[in-house]
Amino acid sequence: MTVLVCSDLDRTLIYSAAAFALDGPDEAMPRLLCVEFYQGAPLSYVTETAAQTLEALARAATFVPTTTRTPEQYRRVHLLEKPPEYAICANGGHLLVDGVDDPAWSSEVRSRVASACAPLTEVQDHLIRLGGEFVLKRRTASDLFAYTVVDRTALPAGWVEDLTGWCGERGWRTSLQGRKVYCLPASLTKAAAAAEVARRTGASRTIAAGDSLLDLDLLEAADVAVRPAHGELHDTGWTSATAIVTASRGIAAGEEIAGRLLDLVASE
């Protein structure tokens, strides 16, 4: 029986130094492995134990990194010794097969998005009009969605909520993750891409992990879901009959998630 394991990356499996959330004396800290460099500097890490567990997971199941990162951002991450056959990027907008973008899937996604929501340019213009000194950067990703980098301490009360309401009226949704506010078409989902991988691999069971509202559709569609005790979903208190919440947070939760995913596969 083929088991599909789809997991978000940032703040689910991999962590920047700002997200470690490590407590205790220095001598008690875990050994860490850097899995991403950006502009020549180390950026993202897993614990050594998590790295070993993920290698075992990739041997035991079809492991699919499932991320809102663009393909270019994803390719900076070296999570396994041998890259996985499938990866889902841009929140389902790209399906990589052996590292190469599947053009048929990308075309299908763009056609579906174009027919279901307001155009990206309308959202971009609105974000410009809403701008203030708290907005540090504005970006688009894969010509599919937009995000802004903000100063969380200066973010006006109600700004994200007002943006969420405006976007919802136009077939878009929002997510606040760290310093980034994402605006994505509601029809652009990780769950749809995961279902496509399940179809191609013949997987009969899907296990998923994630920490943000952008992972919610994936977690709800999975047979079993795991989320860390931090992040957007934790802040909203989301859970379900098939969801497991970690006992730990930060990079320790990443290690716990890897272990729980492997245990779940072994129990299938």
Tab-separated table of all heavy atoms in Angstrom, residues 179-217:
chain	number	residue	atom	x	y	z
A	179	ARG	N	6.541	37.587	9.274
A	179	ARG	CA	6.452	38.971	8.794
A	179	ARG	C	5.764	39.079	7.443
A	179	ARG	O	5.688	40.173	6.880
A	179	ARG	CB	7.857	39.569	8.678
A	179	ARG	CG	8.637	39.645	9.994
A	179	ARG	CD	9.888	40.478	9.823
A	179	ARG	NE	10.704	40.004	8.707
A	179	ARG	CZ	11.465	40.782	7.938
A	179	ARG	NH1	11.503	42.086	8.149
A	179	ARG	NH2	12.180	40.265	6.967
A	180	LYS	N	5.246	37.968	6.918
A	180	LYS	CA	4.663	37.977	5.581
A	180	LYS	C	3.140	37.863	5.637
A	180	LYS	O	2.593	37.030	6.348
A	180	LYS	CB	5.224	36.823	4.746
A	180	LYS	CG	6.705	36.971	4.414
A	180	LYS	CD	7.202	35.812	3.573
A	180	LYS	CE	8.684	35.963	3.235
A	180	LYS	NZ	9.189	34.821	2.435
A	181	VAL	N	2.490	38.732	4.864
A	181	VAL	CA	1.048	38.647	4.678
A	181	VAL	C	0.807	38.177	3.250
A	181	VAL	O	1.140	38.871	2.286
A	181	VAL	CB	0.366	40.014	4.897
A	181	VAL	CG1	-1.147	39.889	4.706
A	181	VAL	CG2	0.683	40.562	6.283
A	182	TYR	N	0.242	36.975	3.120
A	182	TYR	CA	0.001	36.374	1.809
A	182	TYR	C	-1.431	36.657	1.350
A	182	TYR	O	-2.366	36.603	2.155
A	182	TYR	CB	0.190	34.857	1.873
A	182	TYR	CG	1.616	34.402	2.041
A	182	TYR	CD1	2.152	34.190	3.300
A	182	TYR	CD2	2.420	34.176	0.925
A	182	TYR	CE1	3.462	33.767	3.457
A	182	TYR	CE2	3.730	33.751	1.067
A	182	TYR	CZ	4.236	33.556	2.341
A	182	TYR	OH	5.538	33.130	2.491
A	183	CYS	N	-1.573	36.916	0.070
A	183	CYS	CA	-2.883	37.005	-0.585
A	183	CYS	C	-2.872	36.013	-1.746
A	183	CYS	O	-2.083	36.163	-2.684
A	183	CYS	CB	-3.153	38.405	-1.122
A	183	CYS	SG	-3.193	39.687	0.147
A	184	LEU	N	-3.745	34.998	-1.660
A	184	LEU	CA	-3.757	33.923	-2.657
A	184	LEU	C	-5.173	33.668	-3.162
A	184	LEU	O	-6.144	33.815	-2.412
A	184	LEU	CB	-3.226	32.615	-2.075
A	184	LEU	CG	-1.804	32.564	-1.578
A	184	LEU	CD1	-1.750	32.865	-0.097
A	184	LEU	CD2	-1.197	31.198	-1.848
A	185	PRO	N	-5.298	33.246	-4.432
A	185	PRO	CA	-6.606	32.805	-4.922
A	185	PRO	C	-7.122	31.651	-4.065
A	185	PRO	O	-6.364	30.742	-3.717
A	185	PRO	CB	-6.316	32.349	-6.352
A	185	PRO	CG	-5.063	33.065	-6.746
A	185	PRO	CD	-4.266	33.175	-5.481
A	186	ALA	N	-8.400	31.683	-3.729
A	186	ALA	CA	-8.967	30.627	-2.887
A	186	ALA	C	-8.886	29.266	-3.567
A	186	ALA	O	-8.831	28.226	-2.900
A	186	ALA	CB	-10.413	30.963	-2.544
A	187	SER	N	-8.857	29.267	-4.897
A	187	SER	CA	-8.818	28.002	-5.643
A	187	SER	C	-7.404	27.451	-5.797
A	187	SER	O	-7.216	26.364	-6.352
A	187	SER	CB	-9.442	28.187	-7.032
A	187	SER	OG	-8.777	29.215	-7.752
A	188	LEU	N	-6.399	28.189	-5.311
A	188	LEU	CA	-5.008	27.727	-5.370
A	188	LEU	C	-4.710	26.995	-4.070
A	188	LEU	O	-4.476	27.621	-3.029
A	188	LEU	CB	-4.065	28.914	-5.546
A	188	LEU	CG	-2.577	28.602	-5.697
A	188	LEU	CD1	-2.301	27.861	-6.989
A	188	LEU	CD2	-1.755	29.886	-5.620
A	189	THR	N	-4.743	25.655	-4.095
A	189	THR	CA	-4.641	24.895	-2.851
A	189	THR	C	-3.592	23.795	-2.930
A	189	THR	O	-3.365	23.195	-3.983
A	189	THR	CB	-5.989	24.240	-2.496
A	189	THR	OG1	-6.294	23.218	-3.449
A	189	THR	CG2	-7.105	25.268	-2.458
A	190	LYS	N	-2.996	23.525	-1.784
A	190	LYS	CA	-2.073	22.400	-1.665
A	190	LYS	C	-2.818	21.076	-1.791
A	190	LYS	O	-2.281	20.099	-2.311
A	190	LYS	CB	-1.339	22.467	-0.322
A	190	LYS	CG	-0.394	23.653	-0.177
A	190	LYS	CD	0.294	23.638	1.179
A	190	LYS	CE	1.286	24.786	1.307
A	190	LYS	NZ	2.001	24.782	2.604
A	191	ALA	N	-4.065	21.046	-1.307
A	191	ALA	CA	-4.838	19.805	-1.336
A	191	ALA	C	-5.057	19.304	-2.755
A	191	ALA	O	-4.992	18.092	-3.016
A	191	ALA	CB	-6.180	20.010	-0.636
A	192	ALA	N	-5.325	20.219	-3.694
A	192	ALA	CA	-5.561	19.804	-5.078
A	192	ALA	C	-4.310	19.179	-5.676
A	192	ALA	O	-4.380	18.154	-6.370
A	192	ALA	CB	-6.014	21.000	-5.912
A	193	ALA	N	-3.150	19.779	-5.407
A	193	ALA	CA	-1.900	19.225	-5.929
A	193	ALA	C	-1.577	17.888	-5.270
A	193	ALA	O	-1.090	16.957	-5.922
A	193	ALA	CB	-0.758	20.216	-5.709
A	194	ALA	N	-1.864	17.776	-3.969
A	194	ALA	CA	-1.626	16.506	-3.274
A	194	ALA	C	-2.507	15.405	-3.841
A	194	ALA	O	-2.070	14.250	-3.994
A	194	ALA	CB	-1.881	16.667	-1.781
A	195	ALA	N	-3.751	15.735	-4.177
A	195	ALA	CA	-4.657	14.750	-4.773
A	195	ALA	C	-4.128	14.287	-6.126
A	195	ALA	O	-4.270	13.108	-6.490
A	195	ALA	CB	-6.049	15.344	-4.921
A	196	GLU	N	-3.494	15.194	-6.865
A	196	GLU	CA	-2.914	14.817	-8.163
A	196	GLU	C	-1.739	13.857	-7.968
A	196	GLU	O	-1.599	12.875	-8.710
A	196	GLU	CB	-2.462	16.067	-8.912
A	196	GLU	CG	-1.723	15.814	-10.207
A	196	GLU	CD	-2.568	15.127	-11.278
A	196	GLU	OE1	-3.807	15.067	-11.125
A	196	GLU	OE2	-1.981	14.673	-12.279
A	197	VAL	N	-0.897	14.118	-6.969
A	197	VAL	CA	0.212	13.204	-6.700
A	197	VAL	C	-0.323	11.847	-6.244
A	197	VAL	O	0.191	10.793	-6.646
A	197	VAL	CB	1.173	13.787	-5.642
A	197	VAL	CG1	2.293	12.799	-5.334
A	197	VAL	CG2	1.768	15.107	-6.124
A	198	ALA	N	-1.361	11.853	-5.434
A	198	ALA	CA	-1.964	10.591	-4.989
A	198	ALA	C	-2.486	9.801	-6.184
A	198	ALA	O	-2.327	8.571	-6.251
A	198	ALA	CB	-3.094	10.871	-3.998
A	199	ARG	N	-3.091	10.496	-7.140
A	199	ARG	CA	-3.595	9.818	-8.348
A	199	ARG	C	-2.455	9.201	-9.144
A	199	ARG	O	-2.543	8.053	-9.592
A	199	ARG	CB	-4.366	10.821	-9.213
A	199	ARG	CG	-5.034	10.211	-10.429
A	199	ARG	CD	-5.563	11.272	-11.364
A	199	ARG	NE	-4.498	12.049	-11.996
A	199	ARG	CZ	-3.801	11.625	-13.047
A	199	ARG	NH1	-4.032	10.434	-13.577
A	199	ARG	NH2	-2.851	12.388	-13.563
A	200	ARG	N	-1.365	9.931	-9.283
A	200	ARG	CA	-0.246	9.448	-10.093
A	200	ARG	C	0.496	8.285	-9.424
A	200	ARG	O	1.019	7.417	-10.118
A	200	ARG	CB	0.739	10.595	-10.358
A	200	ARG	CG	0.172	11.727	-11.191
A	200	ARG	CD	1.251	12.732	-11.557
A	200	ARG	NE	0.685	13.902	-12.219
A	200	ARG	CZ	1.405	14.802	-12.881
A	200	ARG	NH1	2.728	14.662	-12.962
A	200	ARG	NH2	0.827	15.840	-13.455
A	201	THR	N	0.541	8.308	-8.111
A	201	THR	CA	1.296	7.274	-7.398
A	201	THR	C	0.421	6.105	-6.956
A	201	THR	O	0.942	5.087	-6.485
A	201	THR	CB	1.979	7.868	-6.148
A	201	THR	OG1	0.986	8.405	-5.281
A	201	THR	CG2	2.966	8.959	-6.548
A	202	GLY	N	-0.881	6.268	-7.059
A	202	GLY	CA	-1.795	5.227	-6.609
A	202	GLY	C	-1.890	5.139	-5.094
A	202	GLY	O	-2.270	4.096	-4.551
A	203	ALA	N	-1.569	6.233	-4.405
A	203	ALA	CA	-1.604	6.233	-2.935
A	203	ALA	C	-3.031	6.054	-2.437
A	203	ALA	O	-3.959	6.693	-2.945
A	203	ALA	CB	-1.019	7.527	-2.390
A	204	SER	N	-3.188	5.212	-1.448
A	204	SER	CA	-4.505	4.963	-0.881
A	204	SER	C	-4.720	5.706	0.436
A	204	SER	O	-5.847	5.789	0.927
A	204	SER	CB	-4.704	3.459	-0.645
A	204	SER	OG	-3.654	2.938	0.138
A	205	ARG	N	-3.648	6.226	1.006
A	205	ARG	CA	-3.731	6.968	2.261
A	205	ARG	C	-2.836	8.193	2.175
A	205	ARG	O	-1.757	8.151	1.583
A	205	ARG	CB	-3.273	6.107	3.439
A	205	ARG	CG	-4.115	4.892	3.696
A	205	ARG	CD	-5.311	5.207	4.593
A	205	ARG	NE	-4.908	5.476	5.968
A	205	ARG	CZ	-5.760	5.881	6.910
A	205	ARG	NH1	-7.027	6.086	6.613
A	205	ARG	NH2	-5.333	6.083	8.151
A	206	THR	N	-3.299	9.299	2.771
A	206	THR	CA	-2.509	10.527	2.789
A	206	THR	C	-2.365	11.016	4.217
A	206	THR	O	-3.342	11.106	4.965
A	206	THR	CB	-3.170	11.625	1.936
A	206	THR	OG1	-3.253	11.196	0.576
A	206	THR	CG2	-2.357	12.912	1.995
A	207	ILE	N	-1.128	11.323	4.590
A	207	ILE	CA	-0.807	11.915	5.884
A	207	ILE	C	-0.203	13.286	5.593
A	207	ILE	O	0.606	13.432	4.672
A	207	ILE	CB	0.192	11.041	6.658
A	207	ILE	CG1	-0.390	9.644	6.876
A	207	ILE	CG2	0.555	11.683	7.994
A	207	ILE	CD1	0.624	8.633	7.394
A	208	ALA	N	-0.598	14.301	6.354
A	208	ALA	CA	-0.146	15.661	6.058
A	208	ALA	C	0.276	16.382	7.321
A	208	ALA	O	-0.169	16.054	8.431
A	208	ALA	CB	-1.247	16.446	5.352
A	209	ALA	N	1.141	17.384	7.146
A	209	ALA	CA	1.583	18.218	8.261
A	209	ALA	C	1.689	19.658	7.802
A	209	ALA	O	2.067	19.933	6.658
A	209	ALA	CB	2.931	17.732	8.807
A	210	GLY	N	1.363	20.595	8.699
A	210	GLY	CA	1.461	22.008	8.369
A	210	GLY	C	1.106	22.865	9.556
A	210	GLY	O	0.532	22.375	10.542
A	211	ASP	N	1.426	24.159	9.472
A	211	ASP	CA	1.229	25.052	10.614
A	211	ASP	C	0.365	26.265	10.333
A	211	ASP	O	-0.020	26.979	11.259
A	211	ASP	CB	2.589	25.545	11.121
A	211	ASP	CG	3.233	26.538	10.162
A	211	ASP	OD1	3.488	26.164	9.003
A	211	ASP	OD2	3.475	27.687	10.558
A	212	SER	N	0.031	26.536	9.062
A	212	SER	CA	-0.638	27.794	8.732
A	212	SER	C	-2.010	27.571	8.113
A	212	SER	O	-2.380	26.450	7.737
A	212	SER	CB	0.223	28.619	7.770
A	212	SER	OG	0.049	28.168	6.444
A	213	LEU	N	-2.752	28.663	7.966
A	213	LEU	CA	-4.064	28.596	7.322
A	213	LEU	C	-3.946	28.127	5.877
A	213	LEU	O	-4.893	27.550	5.338
A	213	LEU	CB	-4.743	29.967	7.382
A	213	LEU	CG	-5.237	30.405	8.761
A	213	LEU	CD1	-5.749	31.839	8.714
A	213	LEU	CD2	-6.316	29.466	9.285
A	214	LEU	N	-2.800	28.335	5.257
A	214	LEU	CA	-2.604	27.873	3.886
A	214	LEU	C	-2.429	26.359	3.821
A	214	LEU	O	-2.472	25.777	2.740
A	214	LEU	CB	-1.389	28.572	3.264
A	214	LEU	CG	-1.498	30.097	3.149
A	214	LEU	CD1	-0.267	30.673	2.469
A	214	LEU	CD2	-2.749	30.499	2.394
A	215	ASP	N	-2.221	25.729	4.975
A	215	ASP	CA	-2.134	24.269	5.044
A	215	ASP	C	-3.472	23.626	5.400
A	215	ASP	O	-3.599	22.402	5.361
A	215	ASP	CB	-1.100	23.839	6.097
A	215	ASP	CG	0.290	24.332	5.791
A	215	ASP	OD1	0.761	24.095	4.660
A	215	ASP	OD2	0.909	24.960	6.667
A	216	LEU	N	-4.457	24.443	5.747
A	216	LEU	CA	-5.697	23.904	6.307
A	216	LEU	C	-6.405	22.959	5.350
A	216	LEU	O	-6.864	21.875	5.755
A	216	LEU	CB	-6.619	25.056	6.703
A	216	LEU	CG	-7.918	24.671	7.404
A	216	LEU	CD1	-7.643	23.842	8.653
A	216	LEU	CD2	-8.713	25.925	7.775
A	217	ASP	N	-6.517	23.322	4.070
A	217	ASP	CA	-7.201	22.452	3.111
A	217	ASP	C	-6.488	21.109	2.980
A	217	ASP	O	-7.121	20.056	2.875
A	217	ASP	CB	-7.302	23.130	1.740
A	217	ASP	CG	-5.943	23.518	1.178
A	217	ASP	OD1	-5.467	24.625	1.478
A	217	ASP	OD2	-5.337	22.714	0.447
